[in-house]
Amino acid sequence: MSDQTLPVSNDDIKTMKLYTNVERIRNELASRGMTGDNIDPFELSKMDSMHYKGNDAVNDAIEVMKLDESSNVLDVGSGFGGPARILSSLSKCTTVALELQPDIHELA
């Protein structure tokens, strides 16, 4: 999708100052010696969940929506994907994470 098809451009999104220091995740991973694809989602959630209540909010969602291995979840505005990874890990549901900001999507 090009910037021309979006209601706002990627530059406009970045001026919102939502998540401007994307490299902090890479730096934090490196400082903890966490590399590769086998990173524990619960350890990672300490730095990549960008919402209030942390994993408690995810646990509440699993319980309220009765998510399990037969569930499909679309996480729109997923940020770095922390809640999506926790949802999938705990409930075994299938989760698709969608993030509009290319740099955050790429890092996730």
Side-chain angles (χ1 to χ4, degrees), residues 30 46 56-57 71 80 84 93:
K46 295 174 184 174
D56 289 343
S71 304
F80 296 113
C93 70

Side-chain angles (χ1 to χ4, degrees), residues 12-71:
D12 290 337
I13 292 167
K14 284 300 179 191
T15 62
M16 292 179 202
K17 303 291 185 209
L18 299 174
Y19 313 113
T20 56
N21 189 9
V22 174
E23 285 302 309
R24 77 175 174 79
I25 296 292
R26 272 196 190 97
N27 296 338
E28 190 69 27
L29 287 171
S31 74
R32 295 178 185 214
M34 300 169 77
T35 60
D37 292 333
N38 296 320
I39 298 173
D40 181 335
F42 297 94
E43 276 301 307
L44 189 56
S45 73
K46 295 174 184 174
M47 55 190 117
D48 75 348
S49 291
M50 301 183 295
H51 63 279
Y52 299 107
K53 286 186 68 181
N55 290 340
D56 289 343
V58 177
N59 290 330
D60 290 348
I62 291 169
E63 184 178 321
V64 168
M65 294 188 283
K66 298 178 178 23
L67 298 177
D68 61 23
E69 65 278 351
S70 68
S71 304

